Amino acid sequence: MANRYSLWSLIKHGLKHHESWQPAWQSPTPRNKYDVIIVGGGGHGLATAYYLAREHGITNVAVLEKGYLGGGNTARNTTIIRSNYLWDEAAQLYEHALKLWEGLSQDLNFNVMFSQRGVMNLGHTLQDMRDIERRANANLLNGVDAVVLSPSEIRDIVPLMDVSSKTRYPVMGASFQPRGGVARHDAVAWGFARAASELGVHIIEQCEVTGMLIDGDRIKGVKTTRGDILADKVGCVAAGNTSTLAKMAGIRLPLESHPLQAFVSESLKPCLDTVVMSNAVHGYVSQSDKGELVIGAGIDSYLGYGQRGSPHIIEHTAAAIIELFPSFSRVRMNRQWGGIVDVSPDACPIITKTRVKGLFFNCGWGTGGFKATPGSGNVFAHTIANDAPHRLNAAFSLDRFASGHLIDEHGAAAVAH
Amino acid sequence: MSGYRIHRKGERIQRQKPLSFIFDNVRYNAFAGDTLASALLANGVRLIGRSFKYGRPRGIVGFGAEEPNALIQLETGAHTVPDLKATQVELYQGLVAASTTGYPSLDFDYKGLLGKLGRFMPPGFYYKTFMEPVNAWPFYEKYIRKAAGYGRAPVEADPESYDHLHHHVDVLVVGGGAAGLWAATLAGRAGLKTLLVDEQAEAGGWLLTDRRSRIDGLEPTEWLAERLAELDSLPNVSVLTRTTAFALHDGNLVQALELVQDHLPLTERNAALPRQRLHKIRSHQLVLATGAIERPLVFGYNDVPGVMTVAAGHSYLNRYGVAVGREVLLQTQNDAAYDAAFDLAASGVKVTVADARCDGPARWRQDALSRAGIQLLSGHGIARVLGDKTVNGVELVRLDGQRNAATGKGPRLNVDTVLSSGGLTSTVHLFCHNGGRPVWRDDRLSFVCPDEGRDNIACVGAITGRWELDEALAQTHQACLGFLQKAGRATGFLAPKVNGDAISAPRAIFRLPDGKPEGRGAKAFVDYQNDVAAADIHLAVRENYRSVEHVKRYTALGFGTDQGKLSNINGFAIAAEALGKPIAEVGTTTYRPAYTPVTFGALAGAHVGDTFEPRRYTAMQASHDARQAEYETVGQWMRPWYFPKAGEDLHAAVNRECLATRNSVGVMDASTLGKIDVKGPDAREFLNRIYSNAWSKLDPGKCRYGLMLDENGMVMDDGVTACIADDHFHMTTTTGGAARVYSWLERWHQTEWPELKVRFTTTTDHWATVAVVGPNSRKVLQKLCGDINFDPEAFKFMDWRPGTVAGLPARVFRISFSGELAYEINVDANYGRYIWEEVMKAGAEFDITPYGTESMHVLRAEKGFIIVGQDTDGSMSPIDLAMGWAVGMKKPFSFLGKRSLSRSHTGGEGRKQLVGLMPLDAATVLAEGAQILNNTDDTVPAAMQGHVTSSYHSAFLGRSIAMAVLKDGSKREGDTVQVWAHGKSVPAKVVSSVFVDKEGVRQHA
Amino acid sequence: MLRIHCPYCREVREEEEFGYAGEAYIARPAAPEEVDDAVWGDYVFHRKNPRGWHWEQWQHVAGCRKVFVVKRHTVTYEIAGSWTLAEGKALYLSEEQS
């Protein structure tokens, strides 16, 4: 890689006042035609482009992003990564992603700060614990690491959590995935962008798709705010904005775009070493490397593209966090924000061909897309390159909503994530 | 020693109330009215922290919410609060505070040593390294995490409380400076219900610092006192100080945080009052009068302790009687900063002024400078500050008149303090919280709110870019008359008269040049808290992080707890320069709540501890407590789980309860199950549509088990529903599903079938339900009820009868979740406890045994009855559950879920089906959640066939039983499967899910 | 925080009093057994999910329990109006036609 990053490169460039760093990615003028257009320059879209180039040798690719790359949900999520989903199809897809996370920084030569500090899902009722047992056993049999913890074991890992029996919903136990954790979201977008750009992919920012060029039953390209661009294949990876794109192709999808809110505290000395999630009290929390508590809520119930939601959600989530961590009551929220999550009826993604030849969609990740980023891009690249799904995304086609073969991950996705 | 306390006329501190406090284990003296920052400065404490990345020595820069450096830890133990800004901490007697950075000390910091290698740590350097060796990231990360963070979270629970207060007002004015005070005055005089909030301990804003203006001939603080007195006298006006409006949401909902007791010594706080209060304010008309914050200029080593904003230096002097230095260089690009120069000089401070404008300030100012003996260096800028832990000088350069470039060296001055002013930045935040964007004004050199505000939001004063008091008040007056007129109110008020003086235009300069290419000279900081220098912004652009959001995220500009109040515009301007674009095109990053940080506890309010969420109990609660019941959480309910006798654990209790019930009689509180009264001529038709089974031929006096599917064809809820009359049904649901089913019925009726004449009433809380279960249950009922014929032929299984039980009007249902002879007595819930005790008395001769949910689970499992949500998970159709008998395929209406049953996958082969399992070893109880495999080879991923949903030891059968879902289960009866949990396999035989009394004789007794 | 006018209670109330009840005026097939899996699946699952004006249902769960229709913009969250289901339908249909 020409622009290779390393400690040595920092020293070298530091001595030269950092004046010779190369752009992290190029910003070329769009061609008239590409082999593949990816609509959506978030983590999943950039990952798709990268794997198209890297694993399939398809480099005549453009990623079209209506804003600045990585500026959608990739910039707004709470960065949780895990693969401990319930159903085989989901667990195997997320585990594929997790394995890619485990070498991603080296692969991209960009430190995405993937930190495997574990993810804990608390159980507060007998049924929660049954579901945890079921999921843990399924995980183990799917080759996904899983441990079931007792309240005292939880307290050993998270000393500040209230695991007493006095709380409203006493903690009865938890599932724990040691290999789960967090990563730095912006770095993921930038890392994939840089690696893809290095392989010849064109990343075109400030370029919004306004229509699809379809001839008969085949895609020909897209109309954009920077002109028409032709392509043999078009893959849409636009998260909350997917329905809008689908409509341009006359396709209806089972998606609803909801606000998803999150907030951070001020920066604190380390006090939480793992990721804690609770469906019962509705909230999840981890601590970033900068020291901020990163806290996520459930979705707002109404449709929303405004990247903001209602304040009572934040209030209830703060109450949930204090319920779990009474000592956090005096910690302060610094900033709150929201994203647009495309929720599907079974809380599982839709990675699919469509009835328009050459048109593919990768969407429906809802509140849990960040963790799948490399895996999603990887299988979607395969799907586009081969015009057929990868073994791991075959179950996630659009027609499962006709056949009834839903893969219901509401339990594992639960509060969000 | 570089700061000192002086007597300043008009200061706001109270000399007659001296107090002492501790900072970093040293005791200092100060006065009531001081902030921690003003008190430290008065005592000459300059070094307050070490910067985040480079560990550079840092001091106080500002005097309010904009402070980036002075983050302190307040108090200790349970009362500690991390990361407060010293500028916002009101001092009280005995206050204890500590710095939060500097390891091992502020004076000597390891990170500061490492920071000398800062050139190798540009923004984003951590993305470019720490990748080798592979798997070493956790090692690096541990140290990065230790080095990050300011204060420490408490480890004990919060001893103080918080609450919420709702307001509905005509007018909310945010900001109690001159503009806000005037707006509140007009609204108040016009008779509107008005609320004014201000973030500081006393209202007044810049009026507290300004000595030059005259408003209606009065000095600023005189006019302030007059305004406050008038507002106080108006019954329709309230003023809240120490109250920061931190968020604006849709519909003019403003959240504001009031610090109710934070300014009081810990020992003087009233535990009956909240520490802080979250105000939720709805107003018809919102007036944003949030003013403006002065930003500093950016120049070499502008982060040495002793470099502050002009506004800070000015305010410490006039409000707190603190001279921040003895020899001050004041660097400006505008006229307003000169007020500070004069006031400092008049207080005995030696002042030199450097003005970036070659022509300097307005003529009258220059004359005044000469008279005051203050040296003015026009056309000069600071190239670099000298000093390490405190300022000891500056090097200036001469500036070109047109381009922002240095034309030659300027003098070196020996000063101990630098105050800089880069102009004002409008405090636009609230206006932009729900998606609005501010507008760049070249003539104001700031992003501002538009004059016209927007629907029901008026923007007044400096928030619109009107920096001078005369224009600010004039615009405020006009804007307010506007909305008063719209509200049909009197508008005949006179605007205040303010003296206006000539002004020279400011210079559009943000980063003072030092004559060197950016990145080669002294580091010039833009964002202090995150150590972001001007060169860093250039680097970001160089690396193609060109969108303003990319610049922010890559460099961390504006990400700190000050949210970029001092740094944003400087950062955007420097980015604009690097991009070669006008600032207006570069734009701003997104403004988000909170304007200043908000305590989590305040957000939660009273929803903590015992009031986090209500616990629901049945009317029999006290009876269960008296019998030492252990409880299980089921939704919001607390249900008795089991009733252990002395020395019993769960299993012993449950074994006893089950045996007692099947052998004699048991009693269970079933009150939590949902109950919905369904009434109307079309009630039957409605039930036919929402249940999968048939209801047309259920006579009054009869009950039927109802199965409810969602439109996806999966089992959603179930329960027994009784026919009271042809147009009247008593529906029951699961405990957890009650609210959901109630809404479900209403929504389907109202949106899809409004023509059906039927209505629903939730009666869950109206009825208490006592289940009397077992061979002797009839005898118990007969003792309590004389007007129902309990003969088996007269009162059959699945009948119900009205009658009088223990003297109470009751509905008695002969239904059974256990497979035993059983009756459920339903009475007015007010008598729940009474009927429970009466049943216990009547059953005493039969050793009647109360049992809870655990025994209930076992008893129903012995009969193979499902529990929705335990044996089902939303993916099981009624056919999967061997409940085809409950699916009325012949019903004329295509009931909810019916069509989905015939979809290719839902109606296809290889589906998981409900079965029973019996471990080959009768003493082994399978784990609920264990996975079912066909064999024990260790392939991964394993081919899972299903899982165990319910599993118990059956005392009645003397062996273990289980229910499970298994692929093609209905075809596999007799097979042996492997039941796997956590690495261990247990063999079990697939059997029918009915373990006890397959013929159903017992329930028909 | 949305403020919603309940056409039955005839008052504007806080969002917290209401439950969101999905896209409005979705037509359930009159004869489900006569449509194929794709058409049925479209009815059960597919939604307009517009980036723009949306006709949606809200239920006044903490009040009168009535379900009514609201026309709301999904980007600005501006509410154009709220009507009873019957009244709203006429407006909705006329919009669909144009």
Coordinates of all heavy atoms in Angstrom, one line a residue, chain B residues 982-1002:
Chain B
H982 N -24.3 -26.7 27.4 CA -22.9 -26.4 27.9 C -22.0 -27.6 27.9 O -21.3 -27.9 28.8 CB -23.0 -25.9 29.4 CG -23.8 -24.6 29.5 ND1 -23.2 -23.4 29.0 CD2 -25.0 -24.3 29.9 CE1 -24.1 -22.4 29.2 NE2 -25.2 -22.9 29.7
G983 N -22.0 -28.3 26.7 CA -21.0 -29.3 26.5 C -21.5 -30.7 27.0 O -20.8 -31.7 26.7
K984 N -22.6 -30.8 27.7 CA -23.0 -32.1 28.1 C -24.3 -32.6 27.4 O -25.2 -31.8 27.2 CB -23.3 -32.1 29.6 CG -22.1 -31.8 30.5 CD -22.3 -32.4 31.9 CE -21.1 -32.3 32.8 NZ -20.7 -30.9 33.0
S985 N -24.3 -33.8 27.0 CA -25.5 -34.4 26.3 C -26.3 -35.3 27.2 O -25.6 -36.1 27.9 CB -25.1 -35.1 25.1 OG -24.9 -34.3 24.0
V986 N -27.6 -35.2 27.2 CA -28.4 -36.2 27.9 C -29.4 -36.8 27.0 O -30.1 -36.1 26.2 CB -29.2 -35.4 29.0 CG1 -30.2 -36.3 29.7 CG2 -28.3 -34.7 30.0
P987 N -29.4 -38.2 26.9 CA -30.4 -38.8 26.0 C -31.8 -38.7 26.5 O -32.0 -38.8 27.7 CB -29.9 -40.2 25.9 CG -29.1 -40.5 27.2 CD -28.6 -39.1 27.7
A988 N -32.7 -38.5 25.6 CA -34.2 -38.4 26.0 C -35.0 -39.0 24.9 O -34.6 -39.0 23.7 CB -34.5 -37.0 26.3
K989 N -36.2 -39.5 25.3 CA -37.1 -40.1 24.4 C -38.1 -39.1 24.0 O -38.7 -38.4 24.8 CB -37.7 -41.4 25.0 CG -38.4 -42.3 23.9 CD -38.5 -43.7 24.4 CE -39.9 -43.9 25.0 NZ -40.4 -45.2 25.0
V990 N -38.5 -39.1 22.7 CA -39.5 -38.2 22.2 C -40.9 -38.9 22.5 O -41.1 -40.0 22.1 CB -39.4 -37.9 20.7 CG1 -40.5 -37.0 20.2 CG2 -38.0 -37.3 20.4
V991 N -41.7 -38.2 23.2 CA -43.0 -38.7 23.6 C -44.1 -37.7 23.4 O -43.9 -36.6 23.0 CB -43.0 -39.1 25.1 CG1 -42.0 -40.2 25.4 CG2 -42.8 -37.9 26.0
S992 N -45.3 -38.1 23.6 CA -46.4 -37.2 23.6 C -46.2 -36.1 24.7 O -45.6 -36.4 25.7 CB -47.7 -38.0 23.9 OG -48.7 -37.1 24.5
S993 N -46.7 -35.0 24.4 CA -46.5 -33.9 25.5 C -47.5 -34.0 26.6 O -47.5 -33.2 27.5 CB -46.6 -32.5 24.8 OG -47.8 -32.4 24.1
V994 N -48.4 -35.0 26.5 CA -49.4 -35.2 27.6 C -48.8 -36.3 28.5 O -48.7 -37.4 28.0 CB -50.8 -35.5 27.2 CG1 -51.7 -35.6 28.4 CG2 -51.3 -34.5 26.2
F995 N -48.4 -36.0 29.7 CA -47.8 -37.0 30.6 C -48.8 -37.6 31.6 O -48.6 -38.7 32.0 CB -46.6 -36.3 31.3 CG -45.5 -35.8 30.4 CD1 -45.5 -34.5 30.0 CD2 -44.5 -36.7 30.0 CE1 -44.5 -34.0 29.1 CE2 -43.5 -36.2 29.2 CZ -43.5 -34.9 28.7
V996 N -49.7 -36.8 32.0 CA -50.6 -37.3 33.1 C -52.0 -37.3 32.5 O -52.5 -36.4 31.9 CB -50.6 -36.3 34.3 CG1 -51.7 -36.5 35.3 CG2 -49.2 -36.3 35.0
D997 N -52.7 -38.4 32.8 CA -54.2 -38.5 32.5 C -54.4 -38.2 31.1 O -55.2 -37.2 30.7 CB -54.9 -37.6 33.5 CG -56.4 -37.7 33.3 OD1 -56.9 -38.7 32.9 OD2 -57.1 -36.6 33.6
K998 N -53.9 -39.0 30.2 CA -54.1 -38.7 28.7 C -55.5 -38.7 28.3 O -55.9 -37.9 27.4 CB -53.3 -39.8 27.9 CG -51.8 -39.6 27.9 CD -51.2 -40.5 26.8 CE -49.7 -40.6 26.8 NZ -48.9 -39.9 27.7
E999 N -56.4 -39.4 29.0 CA -57.8 -39.5 28.6 C -58.5 -38.3 29.1 O -59.7 -38.0 28.7 CB -58.4 -40.8 29.1 CG -57.7 -42.0 28.7 CD -56.4 -42.3 29.5 OE1 -56.4 -41.9 30.7 OE2 -55.5 -42.8 28.9
G1000 N -57.9 -37.5 30.0 CA -58.6 -36.4 30.5 C -59.7 -36.7 31.5 O -60.7 -35.9 31.7
V1001 N -59.6 -37.8 32.2 CA -60.6 -38.2 33.1 C -60.7 -37.2 34.3 O -61.8 -36.9 34.8 CB -60.3 -39.6 33.6 CG1 -61.2 -40.0 34.8 CG2 -60.5 -40.6 32.5
R1002 N -59.6 -36.8 34.8 CA -59.6 -36.1 36.1 C -60.3 -34.7 36.0 O -61.0 -34.3 36.9 CB -58.1 -35.9 36.5 CG -57.4 -37.2 36.8 CD -55.9 -36.9 37.1 NE -55.7 -36.4 38.4 CZ -55.3 -37.1 39.5 NH1 -55.1 -38.5 39.4 NH2 -55.1 -36.6 40.7

